[in-house]
């Protein structure tokens, strides 16, 4: 599973660079033709990872339920995020990755509620969830790369 976490580390480094190279205004801007912005997509990656890995394992997530609710699937930005929120998201990009890697190594994921994603992938265990999460983050990274050209 080391390669799964290496892929996620690379993905998260890309997202951190997006945060570093865009102003607060750019992070919050929703380009024409899109329903969300850079910061929503980045935060959504965190929320989705927490739901797929922790919630479906029956474990408490690292982030608040409010954070997950704000950035879960089928949501959209309800207003601009503040610099403090951006700073929290920056911290969570690293913290959630490192904690999931540690928790996996510590074998705390003993149960998993089977879940079929909107893409049709059926996740049966934590390994499926971690692998699918990388696919999901890759999809949103592609969206982010498109949006950044327009802001």
């Amino acid at each position: 599973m080391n390669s799964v976490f290496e892929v996620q580390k690379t993905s998260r480094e890309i997202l951190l660079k997006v945060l570093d190279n865009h102003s607060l205004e750019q992070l919050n801007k929703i380009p024409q033709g899109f329903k969300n912005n850079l910061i929503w997509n980045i935060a959504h990656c965190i929320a989705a990872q927490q739901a797929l890995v922790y919630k479906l394992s029956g474990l408490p997530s690292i982030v608040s339920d409010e954070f997950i609710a704000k950035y879960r699937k089928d949501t959209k930005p309800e207003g601009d995020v503040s610099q403090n929120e951006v700073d929290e998201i920056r911290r969570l990009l690293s913290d959630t990755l490192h904690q999931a890697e540690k928790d996996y190594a510590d074998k705390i994921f003993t149960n998993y509620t089977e879940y079929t994603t909107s893409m049709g992938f059926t996740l049966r265990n934590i390994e499926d969830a971690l692998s699918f999460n990388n696919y999901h983050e890759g999809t949103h990274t592609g969206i982010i790369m498109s949006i950044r050209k327009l802001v």
Side-chain angles (χ1 to χ4, degrees):
M1 286 303 292
N2 284 343
S3 64
V4 169
F5 289 109
E6 289 302 316
V7 168
Q8 192 173 30
K9 282 179 191 173
T10 301
S11 172
R12 296 291 176 98
E13 287 169 4
I14 291 167
L15 299 180
L16 285 168
K17 286 179 185 172
V18 170
L19 289 177
D20 290 341
N21 293 312
H22 293 82
S23 68
L24 186 59
E25 181 181 343
Q26 289 173 312
L27 292 172
N28 279 299
K29 182 175 182 178
I30 301 173
Q32 187 173 0
F34 288 84
K35 63 180 180 179
N36 48 46
N37 53 29
L38 292 172
I39 197 65
W40 183 91
N41 275 280
I42 293 169
H44 172 71
C45 288
I46 295 166
Q49 183 241 27
Q50 291 291 289
L52 292 169
V53 173
Y54 286 90
K55 293 288 189 180
L56 290 172
S57 293
L59 298 169
S61 59
I62 297 164
V63 303
S64 69
D65 288 341
E66 293 79 19
F67 185 95
I68 292 173
K70 183 175 180 178
Y71 295 109
R72 70 174 164 64
K73 184 177 80 164
D74 297 328
T75 64
K76 60 182 181 180
E78 297 299 330
D80 287 353
V81 301
S82 67
Q83 186 59 53
N84 285 342
E85 290 172 291
V86 172
D87 294 343
E88 177 189 16
I89 291 165
R90 177 188 312 279
R91 180 185 56 77
L92 289 172
L93 279 171
S94 297
D95 289 356
T96 56
L97 167 65
H98 296 302
Q99 191 64 50
E101 188 172 19
K102 178 188 181 306
D103 290 343
Y104 183 80
D106 291 344
K107 299 181 182 348
I108 73 161
F109 300 106
T110 57
N111 297 306
Y112 198 81
T113 301
E114 189 172 294
Y115 174 74
T116 301
T117 71
S118 59
M119 301 294 293
F121 294 100
T122 299
L123 311 179
R124 292 180 174 83
N125 53 48
I126 190 61
E127 289 80 12
D128 289 353
L130 290 166
S131 294
F132 177 78
N133 184 68
N134 283 347
Y135 166 82
H136 177 260
E137 287 196 16
T139 299
H140 282 277
T141 300
I143 294 167
I144 288 165
M145 294 302 125
S146 294
I147 291 175
R148 72 186 180 114
K149 294 176 183 175
L150 302 172
V151 299

